[in-house]
Amino acid sequence: MRKIAYEQIVEKVKTMCIESNYNLGEDVYAAFKNALQTERSETGKEVLTQLIDNADIAKVERVPMCQDTGTAVFIAEVGQDCHIVGGRLVDAINEGVEKGYSEGYLRNSMIYNPMNRTNTGNNTPAIVHIDLVEGQELTLHMTAKGGGAENMSALKMLKPSDGMEGVKEYILSIVKEAGPNACPPLVVGIGIGGNFERCAFLAKKSLFRPLGIRHQDPVVAELELELMEQINRLGIGPQGMGGSTTALDVKVELESCHIAALPVAVNLNCHASRHQTIVLK
């Protein structure tokens, strides 16, 4: 049985919150650079250049790359042979978020509840999904999820008779409706299957996969590429200014579902696709 200290989790989470907001991931940065070479619109190229410059400034000056420093969302893969000592895992994550957002001078965006709209003042509570896995390690995946792109996300319970063509049409309609409001170029996360709540989680989970890494199932990988091509033909472009780079990547995760169901969720991520992963052993 591996023991992992509460305080160790707090410190790692604090660092994840700060670094995800200051440093654009290498996968996203590389996607910007690639898009700059393929973008057909001069305006689109100019916007992409500004986004790259913005990321460079944030990294050098140690400041957030965007004023919306996001909801702290975690997927915690907990090894069944590891034990958290000194406190609860979720409490450690929330304490780490509080320290990270305070010490990193990051905007606090969380409210106590949708009715009173009072800010919690420390960007907690985090949203934590826990997955029990084999082994002795604790793996934390974190994203600082911006509100604008999240607001343009959607879920629909399609009919099985709608088929994959109906799934594709629905996904394209959501991206088209979002237009500039989700701050493209986007990372489009898609969940297919499960049930109502599981489908939304699958769409979120897909966004944790690094850009450029295709699904292990070649059929799903082909669907990702097809959707990205179709989305980039919409002409929305970087920051909605027009162009051929509306999506930097498309990610699909799917699971089994009921014979009467075809749930589809689309979770959009803005150009500041902030994510971190750490492993505690």
Side-chain angles (χ1 to χ4, degrees):
M1 178 71 71
R2 181 67 54 84
K3 295 182 179 180
I4 299 176
Y6 177 98
E7 286 301 328
Q8 184 183 5
I9 299 170
V10 171
E11 289 305 307
K12 290 293 186 182
V13 168
K14 179 185 80 171
T15 300
M16 293 174 82
C17 292
I18 294 172
E19 294 304 318
S20 65
N21 276 286
Y22 287 2
N23 298 320
L24 190 66
E26 291 182 5
D27 58 330
V28 187
Y29 193 84
F32 278 158
K33 289 285 190 177
N34 290 336
L36 192 58
Q37 301 303 313
T38 59
E39 174 57 55
R40 293 193 291 269
S41 163
E42 289 303 317
T43 301
K45 289 180 180 179
E46 182 179 346
V47 173
L48 287 168
T49 299
Q50 291 174 355
L51 293 176
I52 291 169
D53 290 344
N54 181 71
D56 289 338
I57 292 168
K59 183 175 183 178
V60 171
E61 297 191 6
R62 301 287 293 168
V63 295
M65 67 187 79
C66 177
Q67 80 280 1
D68 182 355
T69 52
T71 300
V73 182
F74 289 82
I75 297 178
E77 297 175 354
V78 184
Q80 61 184 3
D81 295 319
C82 84
H83 176 58
I84 313 301
V85 294
R88 295 175 63 246
L89 172 60
V90 173
D91 292 339
I93 290 174
N94 277 318
E95 187 173 334
V97 170
E98 181 176 358
K99 287 187 174 183
Y101 275 74
S102 174
E103 295 178 23
Y105 300 99
L106 307 175
R107 192 182 83 180
N108 298 317
S109 300
M110 298 301 289
I111 58 174
Y112 283 105
N113 68 57
M115 299 295 289
N116 63 33
R117 312 302 297 183
T118 302
N119 199 295
T120 64
N122 55 19
N123 217 58
T124 67
I127 294 174
V128 183
H129 305 278
I130 297 177
D131 189 11
L132 186 63
V133 298
E134 293 183 357
Q136 300 183 358
E137 300 176 348
L138 170 62
T139 301
L140 295 177
H141 305 281
M142 181 260 181
T143 183
K145 189 67 173 65
E150 192 80 353
N151 284 345
M152 303 310 298
S153 301
L155 183 152
K156 186 173 183 179
M157 305 300 288
L158 297 179
K159 301 184 297 295
S161 59
D162 291 326
M164 285 310 300
E165 288 307 310
V167 170
K168 294 173 191 176
E169 289 176 10
Y170 175 66
I171 293 165
L172 289 172
S173 73
I174 296 304
V175 176
K176 188 174 182 179
E177 182 180 352
N181 296 322
C183 292
L186 309 168
V187 181
V188 182
I190 299 162
I192 305 174
N195 62 358
F196 182 82
E197 76 275 9
R198 184 67 179 176
C199 184
F201 170 74
L202 291 173
K204 180 74 71 187
K205 180 182 178 181
S206 74
L207 295 175
F208 287 81
R209 196 186 335 145
L211 273 63
I213 303 299
R214 300 268 66 85
H215 196 281
Q216 61 185 5
D217 184 327
V219 175
V220 181
E222 184 178 348
L223 175 62
E224 292 175 338
L225 292 173
E226 179 185 348
L227 286 168
M228 186 159 67
E229 181 181 352
Q230 292 177 351
I231 288 169
N232 283 333
R233 280 203 226 120
L234 293 174
I236 297 168
Q239 294 296 285
M241 302 293 287
S244 55
T245 312
T246 299
L248 294 172
D249 208 349
V250 174
K251 305 294 187 185
V252 177
E253 293 291 334
L254 45 77
E255 284 187 357
S256 303
C257 66
H258 192 280
I259 57 172
L262 181 54
V264 182
V266 182
N267 195 195
L268 301 179
N269 217 352
C270 65
H271 67 271
S273 181
R274 296 164 292 203
H275 53 85
Q276 292 267 315
T277 295
I278 59 110
V279 179
L280 292 87
K281 302 180 179 181

